């Protein structure tokens, strides 16, 4: 699920294309952000503690298709309410966002929606691709993907924001590789469009 890329935005990602992609992992506390990060880093489940500040890892990810590997620099930022005002300082130069939601936590889906829309609407984040990870799909009470999409109002993200909704289970890593491939391709597509737009000027 996801939308396409429409008009490119004039803001260019801060990093040149040969450097690691700057990816910020956001979402409410307990959504599974740190589990995602360490699953990607160590390829195994790592027990987490609540993140007070941030965790960061540079990870080379093997991709399918033409591009075989890509370097990602992930920033996993604490999701507690008091820490959310800090998100903006991490997303300023982001090439892409990973927004993790707990698919079981129907009660806080509205709160997750508010935070997702708030961060993507910021001027500097316009056009930045978002991978929405519907995490904890291993649990019986997980909301189906369609419901997560509706509750997060992904269709209202705006035509400038490309997004993809990925079902996942961070504990075993299911869905993460696929999600990153989609994020990588959305970032590449955006860069290509921005280069074309620059040439036309
Ligand atoms: P956060 O970084 O978003 O705050 P964490 O979240 O990564 O610390 O994870 C919060 C809790 O959710 C952890 O459990 C973690 O093991 C669990 N979790 C993360 N991903 C999944 C998943 O895909 N499936 C299930 N079932 N649980 C998941 P604890 O018990 O340590 O609080
Ligand atoms: Mg954490």
């Amino acid at each position: 699920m996801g939308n396409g890329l429409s008009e490119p935005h004039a803001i260019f990602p801060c990093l040149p294309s040969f450097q690691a992609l700057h990816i910020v992992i956001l979402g409410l506390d307990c959504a599974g952000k740190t589990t995602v990060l360490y699953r990607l880093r160590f390829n195994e489940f790592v027990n987490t503690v609540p993140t007070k500040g941030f965790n960061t890892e540079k990870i080379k990810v093997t991709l399918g298709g033409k591009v075989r590997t890509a370097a990602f620099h992930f920033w996993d930022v604490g999701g507690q309410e008091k820490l959310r005002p800090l998100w903006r300082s991490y997303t300023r130069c982001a090439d892409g966002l990973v927004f993790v939601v707990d698919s079981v936590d129907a009660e806080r889906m509205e709160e997750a929606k508010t935070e997702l829309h708030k961060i993507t609407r910021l001027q500097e984040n316009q056009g930045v691709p978002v991978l929405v990870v519907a995490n904890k799909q291993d649990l019986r009470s997980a909301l189906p993907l369609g419901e997560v999409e509706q509750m997060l109002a992904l269709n209202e993200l705006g035509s400038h924001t490309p997004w993809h909704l990925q079902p996942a289970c961070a504990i075993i890593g299911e869905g993460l590789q696929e999600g990153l491939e989609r994020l990588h391709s959305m970032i590449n597509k955006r860069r290509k469009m921005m280069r074309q737009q620059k040439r036309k000027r």
Side-chain angles (χ1 to χ4, degrees), residues 1-6 128-130 149 154-165 182 186 189:
M1 273 183 228
N3 68 353
L5 262 177
S6 60
V128 175
V130 186
E149 181 181 350
L154 295 181
N155 287 323
E156 292 167 24
L157 274 181
S159 56
H160 284 305
T161 304
W163 56 269
H164 171 71
L165 176 61
R182 293 297 294 261
M186 288 192 289
K189 203 168 170 187

Side-chain angles (χ1 to χ4, degrees), residues 86-116:
L86 300 175
W87 288 3
R88 191 172 188 171
S89 45
Y90 292 90
T91 60
R92 197 155 286 138
C93 283
D95 292 300
L97 304 180
V98 176
F99 195 90
V100 184
V101 291
D102 179 342
S103 306
V104 175
D105 195 356
E107 258 181 43
R108 292 206 302 163
M109 209 51 92
E110 180 66 28
E111 193 180 340
K113 170 191 152 185
T114 304
E115 296 299 346
L116 171 64

Side-chain angles (χ1 to χ4, degrees), residues 29-30 32-35 48-52 55 76-79:
D29 44 301
C30 277
K33 302 178 294 299
T34 308
T35 309
T48 57
V49 289
T51 308
K52 297 283 179 230
N55 302 298
D76 155 37
V77 191

Side-chain angles (χ1 to χ4, degrees), residues 28-35 45 48 135-136 138-139 169-171:
L28 304 186
D29 44 301
C30 277
K33 302 178 294 299
T34 308
T35 309
F45 169 67
T48 57
N135 196 30
K136 307 195 188 182
D138 55 306
L139 298 176
C169 168
I171 282 190

Side-chain angles (χ1 to χ4, degrees), residues 21-163:
L21 298 172
H22 177 119
I23 308 293
V24 187
I25 307 177
L26 301 171
L28 304 186
D29 44 301
C30 277
K33 302 178 294 299
T34 308
T35 309
V36 166
L37 178 73
Y38 290 133
R39 180 79 228 183
L40 290 169
R41 174 66 181 82
F42 301 110
N43 199 23
E44 62 183 43
F45 169 67
V46 174
N47 231 328
T48 57
V49 289
T51 308
K52 297 283 179 230
F54 65 89
N55 302 298
T56 182
E57 296 285 347
K58 269 190 182 166
I59 306 172
K60 241 186 194 165
V61 179
T62 308
L63 303 168
K66 271 194 247 162
V67 186
R68 303 197 81 79
T69 59
F72 291 84
H73 191 174
F74 291 102
W75 297 82
D76 155 37
V77 191
Q80 290 166 28
E81 202 173 349
K82 59 177 187 243
L83 299 172
R84 291 178 208 158
L86 300 175
W87 288 3
R88 191 172 188 171
S89 45
Y90 292 90
T91 60
R92 197 155 286 138
C93 283
D95 292 300
L97 304 180
V98 176
F99 195 90
V100 184
V101 291
D102 179 342
S103 306
V104 175
D105 195 356
E107 258 181 43
R108 292 206 302 163
M109 209 51 92
E110 180 66 28
E111 193 180 340
K113 170 191 152 185
T114 304
E115 296 299 346
L116 171 64
H117 286 253
K118 204 194 278 178
I119 199 78
T120 53
R121 275 202 197 119
L122 291 175
Q123 167 76 17
E124 66 268 24
N125 291 337
Q126 296 268 315
V128 175
V130 186
L131 169 66
V132 182
V133 175
N135 196 30
K136 307 195 188 182
Q137 287 287 324
D138 55 306
L139 298 176
R140 269 178 148 199
S141 48
L143 293 166
L145 213 55
E147 248 175 86
V148 174
E149 181 181 350
Q150 250 189 346
M151 289 172 96
L152 293 176
L154 295 181
N155 287 323
E156 292 167 24
L157 274 181
S159 56
H160 284 305
T161 304
W163 56 269

